[in-house]
């Protein structure tokens, strides 16, 4: 009589870590986050040091997104998986409230590891609760987005005193279709800026990422700043493309196919951390600053917001 050999150890689960702990709903990886406030990578180029992101990964599929490496820690790749396998922090509102109870009040960026108004937000509707929590705690915050869905919450954002930074790095649709295939066009985002300002939201433009040798010509920068000014933005914050690990491989892989003659120049321009040459960056941001002066726009990171008291002082009379 034959006997089948029994395995001495359990079969190894070779699935990515995120698939072992997440529930897949409507095509999204739904998780329960242990923390939602995270350090902003030094390479991000934005003013805030801390960020809140209800989603990781982004359907906008921007080739130069600096958050791509985060998917590697989940066992996914920083390229196609980042664009199509979006992770949802389903408990983001309750976790944020718990963390804000101990928060020192530093300003927060919202939507750094994935646009907080991408299609997943239509399903999960996390942002109204997050805005309410931040407003009640009187924590200054800036929402970074490319999506018109942010208009849904315009009244809430205005009441909370939030800043909104709409990303518009260039107005050339050919470039946009190549490097931001899942995002709306420049004209729709310019109209979004106007609509937010009209709704009473403090809205500026994050002119990012400026792409070396693709969107940095003087006439391209001038056209972009001119149209941003025409949309009524409160200011412009320029950021040259960053290529940290994860982003670098994905972006340069595309560049090698679309513009192979530029790859060697990019290799010279960027250091190992993914930062552009200081001389190049200063030249580009200096040109944008001059254009902003011509059009009467503040340029650069806005001044730190004045913190409102969380609990108003009682009158003694």
């Amino acid at each position: 009589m034959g006997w089948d050999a029994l395995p001495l150890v359990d079969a190894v689960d070779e699935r990515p870590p995120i698939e072992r702990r997440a529930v897949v709903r409507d095509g999204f990886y739904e998780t329960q986050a242990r923390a939602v406030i995270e350090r902003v990578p030094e390479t991000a180029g934005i003013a805030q040091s801390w960020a809140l992101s209800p989603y990781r990964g982004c359907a906008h599929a921007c080739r130069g997104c600096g958050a791509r490496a985060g998917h590697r820690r989940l066992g996914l790749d920083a390229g196609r998986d980042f664009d199509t396998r979006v992770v949802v922090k389903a408990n983001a509102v309750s976790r944020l409230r718990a963390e804000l109870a101990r928060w020192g009040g530093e300003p927060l960026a919202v939507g750094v590891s994935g646009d907080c108004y991408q299609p997943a937000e239509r399903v999960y509707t996390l942002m109204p609760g997050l805005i309410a929590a931040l407003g009640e705690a009187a924590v200054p915050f800036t929402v970074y987005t490319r999506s018109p869905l942010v208009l849904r919450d315009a009244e809430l954002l205005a009441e909370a005193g939030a800043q909104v930074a709409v990303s518009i790095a260039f107005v050339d649709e050919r470039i946009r279709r190549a490097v931001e295939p899942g995002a709306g066009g420049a004209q729709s985002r310019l109209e979004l800026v106007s609509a937010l300002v009209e709704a009473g939201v403090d809205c500026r433009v994050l002119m990012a990422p400026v792409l070396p040798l693709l969107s940095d010509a003087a006439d391209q920068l001038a056209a972009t700043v001119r149209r941003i000014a025409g949309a009524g933005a409160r200011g412009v914050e320029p950021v040259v493309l960053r290529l940290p690990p994860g982003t670098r491989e994905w972006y340069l892989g595309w560049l090698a196919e679309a513009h192979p003659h530029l790859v060697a120049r990019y290799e010279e321009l960027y250091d190992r951390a993914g930062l552009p040459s200081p001389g190049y960056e200063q030249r580009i941001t200096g040109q944008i600053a001059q254009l902003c002066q011509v059009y009467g726009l503040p340029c650069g990171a806005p001044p730190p917001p004045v913190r409102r008291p969380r609990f108003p002082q009682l009158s003694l009379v």
Side-chain angles (χ1 to χ4, degrees):
M1 182 176 179
W3 295 88
D4 292 330
L6 296 175
L8 298 179
V9 294
D10 292 335
V12 177
D13 189 343
E14 296 183 348
R15 292 178 301 164
I18 188 62
E19 292 188 359
R20 284 180 249 150
R21 65 174 186 263
V23 175
V24 180
R25 300 182 194 275
D26 299 315
F28 302 110
Y29 289 85
E30 184 179 303
T31 63
Q32 299 295 310
R34 295 180 181 177
V36 292
I37 297 178
E38 307 170 303
R39 275 277 186 190
V40 174
E42 293 182 4
T43 56
I46 61 175
Q48 297 81 10
S49 298
W50 297 92
L52 155 69
S53 297
Y55 308 106
R56 187 176 296 281
C58 189
H60 291 163
C62 301
R63 298 186 186 277
C65 180
R68 289 183 173 276
H71 258 45
R72 288 178 169 177
R73 295 189 290 272
L74 305 175
L76 303 173
D77 71 60
R80 189 68 61 194
D81 284 350
F82 182 86
D83 302 340
T84 59
R85 299 189 179 189
V86 175
V87 178
V88 179
K89 301 174 185 177
N91 63 333
V93 176
S94 60
R95 281 305 315 154
L96 177 62
R97 288 188 177 277
E99 291 171 40
L100 288 179
R102 305 184 301 274
W103 191 243
E106 296 91 339
L108 292 175
V110 183
V112 173
S113 67
D115 196 314
C116 49
Y117 283 102
Q118 63 177 294
E121 173 63 13
R122 294 188 184 277
V123 178
Y124 285 89
T125 321
L126 295 174
M127 282 302 294
L130 297 174
I131 295 168
L134 290 164
E136 291 165 12
V139 173
F141 67 102
T142 299
V143 171
Y144 291 88
T145 186
R146 288 173 166 83
S147 173
L149 183 58
V150 67
L151 274 174
R152 181 199 67 192
D153 297 336
E155 184 176 348
L156 295 175
L157 290 162
E159 290 175 355
Q163 293 181 333
V164 174
V166 176
S167 296
I168 308 172
F170 37 78
V171 292
D172 187 322
E173 273 299 288
R174 292 172 300 175
I175 297 175
R176 198 277 306 166
R177 285 193 294 270
V179 300
E180 298 176 350
Q187 181 58 37
S188 66
R189 283 184 249 171
L190 290 164
E191 293 170 1
L192 172 59
V193 170
S194 297
L196 286 167
V197 171
E198 186 176 349
V201 177
D202 183 1
C203 181
R204 57 194 173 90
V205 166
L206 185 73
M207 195 169 164
V210 177
L211 306 176
L213 311 175
L214 292 174
S215 70
D216 62 350
D219 59 338
Q220 291 172 305
L221 298 178
T224 303
V225 174
R226 181 179 68 250
R227 292 181 64 182
I228 290 171
R234 301 301 190 208
V236 171
E237 185 176 351
V239 180
V240 173
L241 175 71
R242 266 70 171 149
L243 292 176
T247 303
R248 186 187 192 104
E249 296 84 352
W250 186 244
Y251 183 86
L252 291 183
W254 164 78
L255 193 71
E257 293 182 3
H259 305 280
H261 60 289
L262 297 181
V263 174
R265 181 69 183 106
Y266 267 74
E267 295 285 4
E268 296 172 355
L269 193 60
Y270 283 86
D271 64 19
R272 295 181 64 183
L275 295 175
S277 158
Y280 170 81
E281 184 170 33
Q282 290 167 11
R283 176 169 65 83
I284 296 301
T285 56
Q287 286 181 256
I288 294 172
Q290 290 178 348
L291 289 165
C292 286
Q293 188 171 13
V294 169
Y295 289 101
L297 283 171
C299 184
V306 178
R307 288 187 59 199
R308 297 166 291 154
R310 184 171 183 179
F311 301 106
Q313 184 175 359
L314 296 177
S315 174
L316 298 179
V317 295

